Amino acid sequence: MCGIVGYIGTKNAKDVLLDGLEKLEYRGYDSAGIALFNQEGVQIFKEKGRIQDLKNEVPIAAYGQIGIGHTRWATHGKPSKINAHPHQSESGRFTIVHNGVIENYSLLKEEYLPGRLFKTETDTEVIVQLIEYFAGQELDTKAAFRKTISLLHGSYAITLIDAEDPEVLYAAKNKSPLLIGKGNGFNIISSDAMAALKETKEFIEILDEELISLTRDTIMIENLNGQKMERDSFIATIDSSDIEKGTYPHYMLKEIDEEPAVIRHIIQSYQNNAGEITVDQEILNEIMAADRIYIIACGTSYHAGLVGKNLIEQLAEIPVEVHVSSEMGYNMPLMSKNPLFIFITQSGETADSRQVLVKVKEKGYKTLTMTNVPGSTLDREADFSMYLHAGPEIAVASTKAYTAQIAVLSILGAAVGKQKGIQAANELDLVAELGIAANAMEGLVASKELIEHLAAEYLAVSRNAFFLGRGMDYFVAMEAALKLKEISYIQAEGFASGELKHGTIALIEDATPVFAVITQKNINWNIRGNVNEVLARGANACIISMEGVNQPGDRLVFPQVHPLLTSLVSVIPCQLLAYYAALHRGCDVDKPRNLAKSVTVE
Ligand code: M6R
């Protein structure tokens, strides 16, 4: 969701910015732009649509040794060329790009900027006009910028150029991600490491309400009181090759293919020398001290949390509640005496989850983040972290992070259960069982032809679809429906199959596609009964089942895995169904409309 790149150095900033913006495409955007400073002053190029559209706008000869770039995901004002960033102050002296939402922008506009000419509908333009307003009150640029950000309520990551002092790139952040990329003779500002990896692997974190001034050779970090802050840099562990598609047509397909390897990597990462699962003892102590666990997450991570509830309750015998972040923060349930909060987030930047983290920390509760991005906001701000080790996930549709989240949740549940001496955990050889699940996943990713055929048969022309399940399979059904709707735009619902006849079965008509996921022995016949009910009403049903519960006529049967780990495997055909359905319908698989990978506004 919105991305920023800023560069000051000796290369042509145009190339660094356009390349960086391409790397940020995965975050989701609807328009893009760059500003370059050169002898002619600041030149701005922007365009609605893709980076390629922007590239077509920028003359080959465009040049600058300092510049800022932006991908915009519209919040205030429709996606359009005029609303695309960068934005300038009335005189053209200041140019900024901004991510986030300024909640008090109309109040600030009324109070400080009456009579000013505004060209856009954005909250961002208020920021840049305010900087110019304060600069007009005899403040230098840094002071005017500081004064402006001290007035902003909401979330922001901002990068600023002053045409009267083009030797400095300014930046600041609050709640929205922003990093400094440190170079030799250059410096970069970017929303995440990916945008800068081609230039540097060395980064410096920026904290909320800090003000950054970068020249080619210097980095200055100050807090809002003007006090200098010292901070060590860190080396990013990802490599620029990790974020290339290689020979794959889409990141999503590459990431689905990587899932078995991710599970094996997770096993290695959480194994001790004796080959046993191991989790930081401090985390285990905190979890064992908790009387209830609250899992907080959004979207796919929420669905992984639902599976995690089962895993933790069965293996560690601790009650777990799972909450959608955007609801939890504003409608807290009655809390147990000694709760522990687990935040599940691929990106570690999701604003809805972060607002809950901030609130529960204020109450003094312990927090653990499970994330794929070390160094991300939720990683830094929680008391403890566990990493997903899935490697960069670029496609907007989350796939390998989901299975990684379930694997790490199973590790946590089993490690706590073993320490507590819970029988179910003692009897589980998780290393072996995760290995078996990884093999089964591998078999499924190799069955693409069959799944592509099923997608064509069931989903090529349908306008809706249902996924049924019970127990663990219900949670996978919810994830399957989310995957299908977000990338193919087919309206889909994941249903607890027993609930269908209480209303939703009214939607079943001739040829409605209904997929049933069946892996659990105890409900095998119940769900098959529900499938018969929809068949009797004309549905086009497709059963995906596991060996051991399969029946003749099931369209896809995968090898048996441990009953607690079935979601790792049953989700793979669902992810591939969504992928091929989207492909058949000519959708932009990796960048579905209206969606962002990193949802950094509430
Ligand atoms: O980065 P997070 O895991 O916090 O993101 C949560 C959701 O925005 C995310 O899972 C979203 O639902 C995906 N697009 C689903 O594929």
Side-chain angles (χ1 to χ4, degrees), residues 348-384:
E349 300 293 350
T350 303
D352 287 317
S353 299
R354 194 205 176 205
Q355 54 90 12
V356 184
L357 178 78
V358 170
K359 286 176 186 151
V360 301
K361 278 184 74 175
E362 273 164 17
K363 290 180 190 285
Y365 298 139
K366 288 283 184 236
T367 54
L368 161 68
T369 289
M370 271 185 194
T371 183
N372 200 26
V373 185
S376 58
T377 306
L378 275 102
D379 173 31
R380 283 190 273 106
E381 294 184 354
D383 298 304
F384 306 101

Side-chain angles (χ1 to χ4, degrees), residues 79-118:
S80 64
K81 184 166 179 160
I82 188 94
N83 287 334
H85 300 210
H87 293 298
Q88 283 193 311
S89 58
E90 197 173 69
S91 74
R93 175 177 165 189
F94 297 102
T95 309
I96 69 166
V97 289
H98 160 232
N99 294 349
V101 172
I102 304 304
E103 290 153 11
N104 59 338
Y105 81 105
S106 0
L107 290 176
L108 293 171
K109 192 171 170 181
E110 249 171 59
E111 185 172 345
Y112 295 96
L113 306 167
R116 282 233 167 196
L117 182 67
F118 280 81

Side-chain angles (χ1 to χ4, degrees), residues 252 256 300 303 396-399 451-452 454-468 475-494 512-516 540 542 544 571-590 592-593 595:
M252 184 178 176
I256 293 172
T300 289
H303 295 154
V396 165
S398 184
T399 53
I451 300 169
E452 181 172 10
L454 292 176
E457 182 181 337
Y458 287 85
L459 297 168
V461 291
S462 60
R463 62 186 170 83
N464 61 359
F466 291 87
F467 288 85
L468 307 184
F475 305 140
V476 171
M478 290 164 83
E479 173 57 11
L482 176 62
K483 218 78 312 167
L484 186 65
K485 58 190 155 194
E486 75 178 315
I487 60 168
S488 74
Y489 317 138
I490 297 172
Q491 188 174 7
E493 276 193 69
T512 304
V514 177
F515 296 87
N540 199 8
C542 170
I544 297 169
V571 78
I572 305 275
C574 301
Q575 294 170 343
L576 284 167
L577 273 173
Y579 172 78
Y580 286 114
L583 217 59
H584 282 300
R585 289 169 168 250
C587 302
D588 189 345
V589 173
D590 283 338
R593 69 184 178 207
L595 294 182

Side-chain angles (χ1 to χ4, degrees), residues 298-301 344-348 350 353 396-398 405 482-483 486 596-597 599:
C298 312
T300 289
S301 298
I344 306 181
T345 167
Q346 188 285 129
S347 63
T350 303
S353 299
V396 165
S398 184
Q405 286 160 347
L482 176 62
K483 218 78 312 167
E486 75 178 315
K597 179 72 180 162
V599 186

